[in-house]
Amino acid sequence: MAEMVKDIVGRCEALFEDLHFDAVKQWKAAVPGRKAIGYMPVYVPREIVHAAGMLPVGIFGGGDQMEVIQGDAYYQSYICRIPRSTLELGLTGRLDCLDGMLFPSICDVIRNLSGMWQILFKDKYVRYVDVPQNYLDSVGGEFYIHEMQVLRDDLGKLAGKPVTDDALRASIAVYNENRRAVQDLYAYRAQKPWQAPTSEVYLVIRAGMVLPPEEHTKLVRDYIAAAELENRPKRDNARVVLTGSFCEQPPLGLIKSIEMSGCYVVDDDFGLVMRWLLDEVPATGDPLLELSKAFLHRSNQQASKYDEKKEDKGKLLVHSVKFYGAEGVIFAAPSFCDPALLERPMLQDVLAKQKIPYTAFKYAENTGQMAPIREQAGTFADSIKLWSAA
Amino acid sequence: MSTPIQMMPSQPSKKPAPKVQKEDAMWLQKEMINANYHELATAHERGKKVSATFVPGNLNELVMCFDFARSLPETNALQNGMRKKSGKMIMDAERDGQSEDVCTYVKADLGMMLGGEIGPTGEKLPTPDLLLLSYTGCFTFMKWFELVRQKYNCETVMLHTPYQGDGKISQSMRDYVVKQLKESVIPTLERVSGVKFDIDRLRQYMKESARAEDDLVKVLQSAKNRPSPIDGYFGAVYYIGPMFTAFRGTPEATQYYDVLRKEIDARVRDKKGPITPEGELTEEKYRLVVEGPPNWTSFRDFWKMFADEGAVVVASTYAKVGGVYDLGFRHDPDHPLESLAEYCLGCYTNMNFPQRIDMICRYIEEYEADGLLINSIKSCNSFSAGQLLMLREVEKRTGKPAAFIESDLVDPRYFSAANIKNRLESYFQMIKQKRSVAGAAVAAH
Amino acid sequence: MRCFIGIDLGSTTTKAVVIDAQQNVVGRGITNSRSNYDTAAQIAKQEALVNTRFHLFREALAKSGALNGSLEDFLAQLERDFRLEQFLVQLSDLETTSIRNTEGSRFGDASKAVASALTEIFKRLTTEAPELFAPGAKRKSDFFRDIAGSRYLAIGDEVAKQGGVRYDMLCNVFDRSIIEVENRVYGDAISANLLAALDRTFVAMPETASRGDAVREPIKSVLDTALEETYTVGTGYGRARLPFSKEHIRSEILCHGLGAHMMHPGTATVLDIGGQDTKAIQVDKHGIVESFQMNDRCAAGCGRYLGYIADEMNMGLHELGPLAMKSTKKIRINSTCTVFAGAELRDRLSLGDKREDIMAGLHRAIILRAMSILARSGGIRNEFTFTGGVAKNEAAVKALKDLVRENYGELTLNINPESIFTGALGGATFAYRAVVEEGKTVEAR
Amino acid sequence: MITTIGIDIGSGAVKTVLFRQDGDKVEWLAKRVERIRQRSPMELARWTYDEVLEEVKLRPEDIQYTATTGEGENVTFATGHFYSMTTHARGGVYLCPEAKAVVDVGALNGRAIFIDERGKVLASKMTSQCASGSGQFLENIARYLGVAIEEIGPLSQTSKDPEKPSSICAVLAETDVINMVSRGIATPDILKGIHLSMASRLAKLLKVTGIKTGTVLLTGGLALDTGLLAALQEELVNEKITGIQAVSHPDSICAGAIGAALWGAFRHEKLRQLEQRAAA
Ligand SMILES: Nc1ncnc2c1ncn2[C@@H]1O[C@H](COP(=O)(O)OP(=O)(O)O)[C@@H](O)[C@H]1O
Ligand SMILES: Nc1ncnc2c1ncn2[C@@H]1O[C@H](COP(=O)(O)OP(=O)(O)O)[C@@H](O)[C@H]1O
Ligand code: SF4
Ligand code: SF4
Ligand code: SF4
């Protein structure tokens, strides 16, 4: 019998709420000697971790259910929340199941956190994963391949055996599958947002942070199938693209509030790691070269990545609005997030030129008060709905 | 990056101003800075192109090879901060859609543009012909120039400096930067300026740089004396100005540092303390190491809080944002591009956390400081995110007390004098109390 | 008698402590901080000196044996009577002031009606006053502003309904007049009030009246003893505004550290939650501060937060703790922003959460923030002393106990009933040391 | 003919209005404004609803649409809910047809709404969390200074030398005010200072929404505060946004409720058309 949406989402929710990462522990316990490597948003080449026989684990902050004490001790009030809760996870031993942590190049906060992690967790593997902002294969590409090679060598050492090209190619194929499933999920939601509400889609995506990719791919496919069987009422909601939440994630309550106030989210940038590379990475040829090419030429656009030309700014966002048939854009950025908040005016400028309506607000992963958010999102939806015909 | 300042605050104070004391070198510096603003303002009428770039890891020598006039937006912002103009600029930028949460240097700059590009000296600054986006040590730089590009459609060229994530500069990082210089930066500079690249010209500038760098290091290290003849934070801001900005590599800068070093040598011989805006400091009661940029909008008041208590800053990390010369780096005319790459990669905020902590601990020891003071800047995640760990580690490793205050670079709303004074006073009284107990314990034996 | 006085001018309350030449605490006084710091300091000091006299009465009467057995009852009664006398004096001042404030054109035609309503209110207030000071009576607070205020408003509501005057007007007169009244110092009235109180006490406790002279004698002699203000040290947030020279001022960090040490000599870590700031202080075994941390510029989660909550719920500050203690369900509150506390509260109430549970969540949220500041300062070491006004709040204490146990295991947690006076005690001890150990004399103001 | 009720549940007050619409003729039949003051907003909503019905002698079944706004999403007897900015925009146009923007200043938040002549929201902006410029803050300070709410405006306007509180946080601003009092700053100067700092926030909001010329209507409770209105006008001049004229209306506090009632009618009509179409 096919699984029900309720069961699938229930499982995802349990994984999401488990701040002790039992799923990771279980995976490790199943075969002695297995290792798990954590990574922070936005993007790391998980293929390399996977090819080393390890489980890549997405560490996306602590959400709104965790009390943060130690983490707050290290950060001033004007710094976003995700590094605090991540530190809290580490300092309270919740990340002991990880054998290493990867800190992608996304902003100064995460960058500095990589050094703090080196000091606080001396016996763990810690690496800052730099990515190029120069998109020439011979310049940025070479640098990036070298960065990936270092990671590959390090993980090989950690695993006790080198990471082979074949293993890498196999992992690329696995992640191609996963990416396709996730893209299908996004396409399905955009088509029938009432059948696959974002509060569920989000949980399904988050499950991919702790599950092995093969298992996650199946879960995503199961969810799509199960959602199709549901009979859910279609509401008179406005279709929006949500952007700005690529790093610190909003609380689930916020996502629900946006939907409750009359919006269907048809595209978003949660858990971007899964959709960072835009299409298939060839699973033949030199794997690091292919990964590098995909990054340089066919990857997502987001605030921490340089846009070479002025004309490129906002291209993908506008494309997403058109592609998914959205009626407006909601900018939802974490408070004190320099990349997202500095990017915002530029994107708004682009949207205004295209006459795409937008609204904007800030949140923190532990925002408790939803009234102002409902009000802004609701007003936005109202204005789209009341005037769409006019 | 929180950038060096280039001029004595010319703020008319309300009381009939007590004679502001300055060293000769400070006057010299002031002239240089004003001249540069004038040159910048008239660049276009004189047929010169203008290039804007950031302070940390700036390629001044290289840019000079193409006859560009150099504009440093961070310096403009801080100059506007000192002249109390930044508050309005920031508000203007916020009204234009910028968030309250983000770096105020960016907003001060954007605000200045909205207000007609009137620079700190009152002259209208030209729109840059080229944005040289070398974003060493801070991601905000990238957004900054993207924002400027969005408004002015300027030609932009990126120089990506990888971060010293594991505390060292690898060959791959060096190659990457050199390659970018060769394949994108230099060709763009050539194209925009119409001047052909001449590597010998570059070598010549770098020779000048290296000489001046030697003198600067001597000046900064003079603070190891007791009493220290300089203030290594507030005073250093004036000393690093030319070096970190549009002057490095020019003969004027070399001459400036020569004059400066001689002045400081004389002060050391005479066992004199540093000159503060309130006059010469006669009694050195506390020696501190400071981490983090200063506040510009209340620079003098801030300095006074230290001077009034007899506190001298003997070393600061901020005096290294434009190059950590005291750890040995010099521009090297024999390997010009490699040395530029090395320079970019080695800037203070491009160092990782363990390195930054090591450096501070070393300063505390070598400069015989009583403790560490962190001025945490709301704007600057690059500096500030993680400073509290720094504080704890330094305390642990040196056994010296550390204190923490908060302000902002150029946003006057975030400078709360009462709050900062309260903390500083408590900190100094604590050091004093500890000392007297230690003294009593010694006496008792 | 030589008195060493510490005054802690806080943002919400002003406290004074008197110690004698043997470093015994002989008097404590407290008042609400108000717009006039000087007055607040004077009143607190005066209260402390009155309290000192009571202390001396106790000693003198105990020595003379005039009240064998009923000494404590007698003194308690005397104190209540004294407070009542004081209250009546201030009340009549308030009445005169209020009536004056209704005159003129403010209320136009209504001013007559307002005046007669006022007369009625004050008549009732005066009549019921003794009840307020009866043994075991519950009062909203001990400050005149609060006691008189809450009763005035309650009676005013009734009178307004009966008399056809608008309630708003009555509130307005009160708000205006109370400021004037509370900024007056009734210096000369103390002896007179005491003697008047003594008469009341004899009436209330007739059995003591028979020994009237034997009782009166020692009291008179105490009243005749001059309390010499040998040395005063000021501290607290408002210390800079005290009319003292720098020699007489210490940072509140040092005072809290030392005060906590004086109360509990084993103290290693001190947490102080006051109205606008939270401090974590580490002290050595002599009470010398080793390091400290304070909340950053955001005042979220400090005592004033509870004040806003109390206002929102229309409750007294000391009622919040008991309400929260009734909680049976854990609710997580994430925001400790003081300003939006009310909104969050309403949000929760509308979601159907119970008041007591929300209250418990709020208290835990405050303590969570304090725990972070403690962690910042280096963690909690044994023994741990909790000081400041919030230490009076049992729910805050419970949350603290829970969190300390969860994070640090079993530790000795000191909470002194007089914790609010810690800073002032530290100040008084500094005053003592200045004279006795450093041979200082009072500097001319 | 459509009869509708609009209920605006705020954090400071509950506002309820009753409207009747007949073709183009719009009639405002009843209103109630109740300060909440420790009472239950939900009960007040019901009570004021009953009161307005009573006033025009109607029964619940005579009402075609009851629309809530503000914090009224959970009102059980309502037909539908509209969000505050939507309703303030519509209410604003009703009260002041030439308004190009509405600035709503309530107990906790400020909102600037840029509208077109039909009350459509073109752009909007709310004050962020950290706000000392809220009505509640002003109320607290007024209490501290011994000034009644109605007196704030007139007093503020007598100020010669206003003193702005420096802090961005209400708690710290409170200390600032305390310090001002002890420095002997006169009450009107303090009030005006607060007004100016609130006004500069509002001006900033307005600027962000992009309005350059025309009339701006203040709505919400603080619209009654003439001092704030004057300060806003001054700030606009300071900011060289001289094309804007800030005005208030005696019924400004009801704007949200009015908007709700009018949108209710609009929606009712639309729903009816949809039904007819479905039936056909
Ligand atoms: N009786 C009481 N019960 C509970 N809390 C109290 C009581 N008295 C004072 N407080 C709390 O203590 C705070 C004031 O603490 P205090 O240490 O006097 O601060 P400050 O030194 O800043 O004036 C108040 O804001 C209040 O939260
Ligand atoms: N006459 C007045 N003058 C100035 N302010 C007033 C007046 N009447 C009410 N207010 C203010 O209006 C606020 C309530 O406004 P309102 O728009 O109803 O807010 P909300 O919608 O959040 O309840 C109160 O905080 C009060 O301070
Ligand atoms: S939320 Fe923004 S500022 Fe914070 S770590 Fe993520 S990208 Fe950096
Ligand atoms: S964040 Fe810091 S380094 Fe970056 S631009 Fe701002 S002040 Fe400079
Ligand atoms: S308003 Fe709230 S969040 Fe803002 S600074 Fe004040 S207490 Fe902190």
Side-chain angles (χ1 to χ4, degrees), chain A residues 76 78 127 303 313 336 343, chain B residues 101 143 146 166 179 376:
Chain A
Q76 303 87 321
Y78 49 76
R127 177 145 189 91
K313 189 58 74 193
F336 304 108
E343 182 84 358
Chain B
D101 291 356
K143 295 290 114 184
E146 282 188 356
D166 31 51
K179 247 193 245 167
S376 178

Side-chain angles (χ1 to χ4, degrees), chain B residues 269-286:
Chain B
R269 272 196 305 280
D270 300 343
K271 294 214 163 305
K272 283 188 172 164
I275 292 185
T276 77
E278 321 300 316
E280 187 175 299
L281 192 79
T282 45
E283 196 194 349
E284 177 185 292
K285 291 193 197 145
Y286 309 101

Side-chain angles (χ1 to χ4, degrees), chain C residues 35 37 172 276 304 308 340, chain D residues 129 144 148 174-175 179 181-182:
Chain C
S35 42
Y37 289 155
N172 184 279
Q276 299 226 354
R304 189 69 187 89
Y308 269 72
F340 287 86
Chain D
Q129 232 224 1
Y144 179 82
E174 223 174 78
T175 324
N179 284 340
V181 174
S182 71

Side-chain angles (χ1 to χ4, degrees), chain C residues 84-198:
Chain C
L84 173 60
E85 282 299 330
Q86 254 187 336
F87 182 78
L88 290 172
V89 170
Q90 276 187 294
L91 198 61
S92 91
D93 186 3
L94 182 62
E95 177 168 8
T96 331
T97 311
S98 302
I99 303 260
R100 183 157 26 86
N101 276 333
T102 35
E103 284 159 12
S105 57
R106 286 164 59 75
F107 297 123
D109 299 342
S111 64
K112 267 223 168 66
V114 173
S116 70
L118 282 174
T119 312
E120 176 60 24
I121 295 175
F122 281 99
K123 200 172 91 204
R124 295 199 206 169
L125 269 171
T126 314
T127 322
E128 68 162 33
E131 278 169 45
L132 288 172
F133 294 89
K138 273 227 179 319
R139 273 169 270 142
K140 199 173 171 180
S141 131
D142 283 331
F143 304 135
F144 178 73
R145 180 191 193 96
D146 301 330
I147 312 176
S150 65
R151 291 309 303 150
Y152 176 100
L153 294 180
I155 297 175
D157 191 20
E158 294 165 19
V159 172
K161 277 185 194 135
Q162 294 155 3
V165 199
R166 271 177 47 216
Y167 177 59
D168 275 1
M169 290 180 175
L170 295 177
C171 300
N172 184 279
V173 178
F174 176 81
D175 287 345
R176 179 166 292 252
S177 312
I178 189 72
I179 295 187
E180 289 180 37
V181 172
E182 95 181 339
N183 278 324
R184 279 197 268 274
V185 185
Y186 304 84
D188 322 328
I190 292 200
S191 282
N193 287 349
L194 251 173
L195 292 173
L198 201 52

